[in-house]
Amino acid sequence: MDQPAWLLYLMAFIRGTVVTILCSLLLAPLLKFIQTRTEPPIIIFAQDQSTSVKAAFSKTDSTAWATSVQALYAKLSENYTVHRLGFGEEVETVDQWVYNDQASDMGQLMTYLQEQYRGQNVGAVVLASDGAINRGRNPLYVPLDQKAPLYTVAIGDTIRKTDLQIREVYHNSIAYLGDRFTIQVDLAAVRLGGASTSLEIRHIGDNQNTLLEKIPVSINADPWFETKEATIEASQSGVQRYRVQLSQVRNEVTYVNNVRDFFVEVIDGRLKVLVIANSPHPDLAVWRNALLSQKNYEVDVRMITEVNATQLKDYDLVILHQLPSTRNPAQNILSELTKQGIPKIFVAGYQTDLNVFNQAQNLLTVQAGGNRTPNDVTMLLSSSFNLFNLSDDLKNKIQGFSPLVSPYGEYVASGSAQVMAYQRIGRVDTQYPLIVMGEANDVRTCIIAGEGMWKWQLSDQLQNGSKEITYELLGQLC
């Protein structure tokens, strides 16, 4: 049946339209939208807010300056975005400048401009200051990648004033009780060449002002800069206040910057160690002296009969010398140590009850050989030990020290134990552990399967003229 001509034309039009749309979608043509946005350049007006600027302004000059700055701000705001910054002790965005800062750190301003305006459309930087910089880096040495021009405006009194100042104090924020720490004090002077003064370091306490050190200072140039160092002993725990102070010199423009206070938190980080012994033994003095030599330990030495289990909570580490023994199984002590999670060191010897010892920890099992004579054993260091590093000097010397007395038996270390040293019996290298470390019942534990460290100390003194190797090893084990 013939169709009307108009219908054929309509169908062709629809078909062409559909094909065109489909082709457009399939070909995904790139449509570009161009949007133009015009941003006015940023004008940065930075002004010194130090008291030296305020002191140099008379009331008339101050009013005239404020009026002219406001007029400039209004004029620039017609075509630019104007940011007002104030700098002194800190750099901040301000609506109105207040001249109350005790220092001028122009170097910090340059760093601020570099970091905060990187990549922005900065048209110009206007810097108003009297040039009296008394803190921070020299602005000439602060890299500034801004391509915008820098305009300077001299305000206040730009003549260099006679002044002596403490520019900066560098010190630790934390120190440990009994330690000594160093402070560095940067000093500067202008127009005081040939003068002399002194730098005092004081400790400021409750109703106390204690002089710690007094350092003579000679000013031999103009301008002058020098760094002085002093060492302070942290003799009291807590947050301690210290003061560095320069004696005043005549004709200084201000004495405010001659004094600087700083604070150091002194931490009593000493570990409390309890050495419990089955009986008197020369090893006990060696342990005590070795730990006290490192200054961060407090050591108590007691016989097992003098110790109550309730006292253990006051200690960070307990050393059990030849315990548990047949006479003193120390079950309540061992139970409390596990309950409190207190790390411990077993020093096994001839008096140790090996059956109770095996039950008290799971790092080392010793199958006793009856009443056989103990072995004299020297140390054979393990190459696979990695819990901490031993110095090369210790590794070379300790293996030649006098032997320890080790209980006779079969020694087997568990899979969770780290063997630091094996037993060398006579000239025979064995796989019997001598020093073992690890966790027993989730508590850090060390086992030394031998007594007689006092002979190590004698060997150390004889061979090396000191006890440092012995003390280093025992300190590492703790």
Side-chain angles (χ1 to χ4, degrees), residues 101-152:
D101 283 0
Q102 299 299 318
S104 293
D105 191 345
M106 196 178 294
Q108 187 183 37
L109 171 66
M110 295 298 134
T111 302
Y112 182 92
L113 297 176
Q114 174 74 4
E115 295 176 352
Q116 298 297 323
Y117 290 93
R118 180 180 287 112
Q120 298 191 41
N121 182 22
V122 178
V125 177
V126 180
L127 175 60
S129 173
D130 60 0
I133 306 167
N134 53 15
R135 180 178 294 181
R137 299 171 61 187
N138 189 324
L140 296 176
Y141 301 109
V142 179
L144 188 62
D145 293 339
Q146 296 284 355
K147 296 182 179 179
L150 174 64
Y151 300 99
T152 57

Side-chain angles (χ1 to χ4, degrees), residues 220-259:
N220 52 18
D222 183 28
W224 172 83
F225 176 87
E226 191 170 313
T227 298
K228 295 291 185 180
E229 290 189 357
T231 302
I232 299 175
E233 182 176 357
S235 57
Q236 299 181 35
S237 60
V239 178
Q240 302 300 317
R241 179 182 178 186
Y242 298 94
R243 174 173 297 165
V244 289
Q245 181 172 351
L246 283 168
S247 300
Q248 297 178 1
V249 180
R250 291 184 60 186
N251 300 323
E252 285 190 71
V253 65
T254 179
Y255 298 117
V256 173
N257 53 16
N258 288 33
V259 181

Side-chain angles (χ1 to χ4, degrees), residues 90-374:
E90 302 289 341
V91 181
E92 57 186 347
T93 302
V94 297
D95 295 323
Q96 199 70 31
W97 288 287
V98 180
Y99 309 100
N100 58 3
D101 283 0
Q102 299 299 318
S104 293
D105 191 345
M106 196 178 294
Q108 187 183 37
L109 171 66
M110 295 298 134
T111 302
Y112 182 92
L113 297 176
Q114 174 74 4
E115 295 176 352
Q116 298 297 323
Y117 290 93
R118 180 180 287 112
Q120 298 191 41
N121 182 22
V122 178
V125 177
V126 180
L127 175 60
S129 173
D130 60 0
I133 306 167
N134 53 15
R135 180 178 294 181
R137 299 171 61 187
N138 189 324
L140 296 176
Y141 301 109
V142 179
L144 188 62
D145 293 339
Q146 296 284 355
K147 296 182 179 179
L150 174 64
Y151 300 99
T152 57
V153 180
I155 59 174
D157 188 351
T158 59
I159 297 175
R160 294 190 308 161
K161 304 293 191 303
T162 301
D163 190 27
L164 174 65
Q165 62 177 273
I166 296 173
R167 182 165 292 183
E168 196 59 76
V169 180
Y170 300 96
H171 60 90
N172 294 351
S173 58
I174 294 175
Y176 289 95
L177 186 65
D179 286 352
R180 297 173 66 85
F181 62 92
T182 301
I183 65 169
Q184 291 185 341
V185 186
D186 286 350
L187 309 176
V190 176
R191 300 182 67 183
L192 283 173
S196 297
T197 182
S198 62
L199 176 67
E200 296 180 353
I201 296 95
R202 295 180 175 272
H203 177 251
I204 310 299
D206 296 334
N207 301 319
Q208 289 184 332
N209 188 329
T210 306
L211 177 63
L212 302 178
E213 189 171 353
K214 188 172 183 178
I215 304 172
V217 176
S218 298
I219 304 170
N220 52 18
D222 183 28
W224 172 83
F225 176 87
E226 191 170 313
T227 298
K228 295 291 185 180
E229 290 189 357
T231 302
I232 299 175
E233 182 176 357
S235 57
Q236 299 181 35
S237 60
V239 178
Q240 302 300 317
R241 179 182 178 186
Y242 298 94
R243 174 173 297 165
V244 289
Q245 181 172 351
L246 283 168
S247 300
Q248 297 178 1
V249 180
R250 291 184 60 186
N251 300 323
E252 285 190 71
V253 65
T254 179
Y255 298 117
V256 173
N257 53 16
N258 288 33
V259 181
R260 183 78 66 88
D261 286 2
F262 64 95
F263 296 86
V264 176
E265 182 179 3
V266 179
I267 300 174
D268 187 356
R270 291 176 294 182
L271 298 177
K272 298 189 69 175
V273 180
L274 175 62
V275 181
I276 308 176
N278 182 64
S279 60
H281 196 284
D283 280 358
L284 305 180
V286 177
W287 276 104
R288 183 179 185 276
N289 294 335
L291 298 183
L292 290 179
S293 69
Q294 302 187 39
K295 294 185 179 180
N296 56 338
Y297 290 99
E298 289 183 9
V299 184
D300 291 333
V301 179
R302 299 181 186 176
M303 297 299 107
I304 181 65
T305 54
E306 302 171 346
V307 179
N308 189 308
T310 58
Q311 301 169 337
L312 299 177
K313 65 180 183 296
D314 298 328
Y315 294 92
D316 302 296
L317 173 67
V318 173
I319 299 173
L320 299 158
H321 191 271
Q322 302 202 79
L323 289 170
S325 66
T326 303
R327 188 178 57 177
N328 296 300
Q331 295 286 11
N332 58 335
I333 299 293
L334 294 170
S335 176
E336 187 65 20
L337 290 175
T338 301
K339 179 181 176 181
Q340 296 287 343
I342 299 173
K344 51 187 174 288
I345 297 177
F346 290 96
V347 180
Y350 188 69
Q351 302 172 31
T352 302
D353 186 332
L354 296 177
N355 291 325
V356 181
F357 169 80
N358 292 336
Q359 297 171 11
Q361 47 75 40
N362 57 10
L363 296 179
L364 181 66
T365 301
V366 184
Q367 298 297 330
N371 294 322
R372 300 284 295 273
T373 303

